[in-house]
């Protein structure tokens, strides 16, 4: 059971999914239909891991130490992982040079198809801790952003059930930042400014009810004013569907 649960937790966290499991959940994890059983399915998990950690075929991903990474393929031991790697190499899906692994064109295509096609681009959404605003983002706006190739992460000042606490590390890993200035805290300005300093594009937005309360008025901050979540979804569709 250990290697399966370990592999499940590793895969979920690697996909930026939170894991909150108790002892009673372990049996369900082990018996889940999502747990790979065949060597072929286990190999796909390794291809998907390399796909998530690279920008294209031929880019090296270091797995070190390999002896502690057999849970990447839900394998019970290192011997099975090595066997899977050798099989993927013989099928011309990956190239191995020591601890560095590269997806071939064929391997990249198979991993992309297994992962659902186009790789999602990380995007951070900065909002205040206001519960109503957070609910609007969760129900309508985050799914709209994901439709256009982004993997949105909702960031607030405090950890909540459906958001993460904002950090500079998360911002640095983003390719786009959306900063909602509706009832903003000073941290929203600071973090968005940090993103601009890293040359990360920032889309400024603000609910119309707060349009006259903008505490910072400079040329570079021209927020898109929105009234309803439906209206903002349409605006974001125009901005992101490029």
């Amino acid at each position: 059971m250990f290697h399966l649960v370990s592999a499940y937790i590793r895969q979920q966290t690697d996909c930026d999914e939170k894991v909150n499991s108790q002892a009673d959940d372990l049996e369900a994890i082990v018996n889940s239909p999502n747990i790979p059983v065949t060597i072929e399915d286990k190999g796909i998990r390794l291809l998907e891991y390399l796909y998530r950690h690279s920008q294209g075929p031929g880019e090296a991903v270091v797995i070190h130490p390999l002896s502690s990474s057999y849970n990447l393929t839900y394998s019970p031991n290192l011997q099975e992982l090595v066997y899977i790697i050798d099989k993927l190499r013989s099928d011309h899906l990956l190239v191995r040079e020591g601890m560095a692994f590269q997806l071939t064109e064929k391997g990249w295509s198979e991993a992309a198809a297994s992962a659902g096609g186009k790789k999602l681009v990380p995007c951070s959404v900065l909002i205040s801790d206001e519960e109503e605003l957070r609910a609007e983002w969760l129900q309508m706006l985050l799914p709209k952003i994901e439709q256009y190739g982004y993997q949105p992460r909702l960031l607030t000042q405090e950890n909540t059930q459906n958001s993460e606490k904002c950090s500079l590390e998360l911002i640095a890993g983003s390719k786009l930042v959306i900063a909602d200035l509706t009832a903003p805290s000073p941290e929203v300005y600071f973090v968005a400014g940090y993103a601009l300093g890293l040359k990360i594009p920032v889309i400024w937005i603000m609910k119309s009810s707060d349009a006259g309360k903008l505490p910072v008025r400079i040329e570079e901050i021209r927020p898109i004013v929105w009234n309803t979540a439906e209206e903002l979804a349409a605006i974001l569709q125009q901005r992101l569907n490029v």
Side-chain angles (χ1 to χ4, degrees):
M1 179 183 289
F2 173 78
H3 71 279
L4 296 178
V5 175
S6 170
Y8 170 80
I9 293 173
R10 182 167 185 171
Q11 180 182 345
Q12 293 297 103
T13 55
D14 193 61
C15 293
D16 294 324
E17 297 290 340
K18 293 183 178 180
V19 179
N20 184 15
S21 297
Q22 300 178 4
D24 294 341
D25 302 324
L26 301 184
E27 198 70 33
I29 292 174
V30 172
N31 295 319
S32 169
N34 296 321
I35 300 295
V37 177
T38 66
I39 291 296
E40 289 72 20
D41 287 342
K42 291 180 178 183
I44 287 292
R45 298 305 171 96
L46 180 57
L47 296 181
E48 289 177 347
Y49 175 83
L50 298 175
Y51 177 76
R52 288 194 298 270
H53 288 266
S54 59
Q55 298 301 316
E59 180 177 336
V61 177
V62 176
I63 302 178
H64 181 75
L66 197 63
S67 58
S68 300
S69 298
Y70 55 86
N71 58 4
L72 287 176
T73 54
Y74 287 75
S75 296
N77 50 54
L78 178 61
Q79 288 73 19
E80 184 177 274
L81 171 60
V82 172
Y83 174 79
I84 291 171
I85 292 171
D86 288 341
K87 188 176 187 305
L88 294 173
R89 289 174 63 187
S90 64
D91 292 339
H92 306 291
L93 296 171
L94 62 76
V95 175
R96 178 184 178 184
E97 297 176 355
M99 297 296 103
F101 296 80
Q102 305 169 25
L103 287 174
T104 62
E105 293 283 353
K106 180 182 177 182
W108 179 268
S109 297
E110 290 208 15
S114 176
K118 185 178 179 182
K119 196 172 183 180
L120 297 180
V121 177
C123 167
S124 292
V125 180
L126 308 175
I127 66 171
S128 68
D129 291 327
E130 188 177 285
E131 185 174 349
E132 182 178 347
L133 183 63
R134 186 168 65 249
E136 288 181 306
W137 274 99
L138 289 168
Q139 294 170 12
M140 176 169 289
L141 299 170
L142 293 188
K144 179 63 66 175
I145 294 173
E146 191 166 339
Q147 286 180 17
Y148 292 97
Y150 290 88
Q151 184 178 26
R153 177 186 282 112
L154 196 62
L155 304 181
T156 55
Q157 295 311 301
E158 299 294 335
N159 273 324
T160 67
Q161 182 177 359
N162 296 304
S163 67
E164 298 180 58
K165 187 173 182 179
C166 187
S167 73
L168 298 185
E169 182 180 0
L170 291 175
I171 295 299
S174 302
K175 300 299 182 183
L176 173 70
V177 169
I178 300 175
D180 195 331
L181 300 180
T182 305
S185 64
E187 287 81 2
V188 172
Y189 286 97
F190 171 75
V191 174
Y194 176 75
L196 289 174
L198 295 177
K199 308 298 182 184
I200 299 172
V202 176
I203 298 177
W204 303 90
I205 60 175
M206 172 178 273
K207 206 165 185 177
S208 60
S209 58
D210 280 20
K213 307 174 185 177
L214 193 65
V216 177
R217 298 182 182 276
I218 60 176
E219 186 71 18
E220 288 76 11
I221 300 180
R222 293 183 178 181
I224 298 170
V225 177
W226 58 284
N227 293 292
T228 65
E230 292 81 1
E231 179 185 2
L232 180 55
I235 294 172
L236 291 175
Q237 177 178 341
Q238 294 177 345
R239 294 292 299 270
L240 300 178
N241 188 22
V242 295

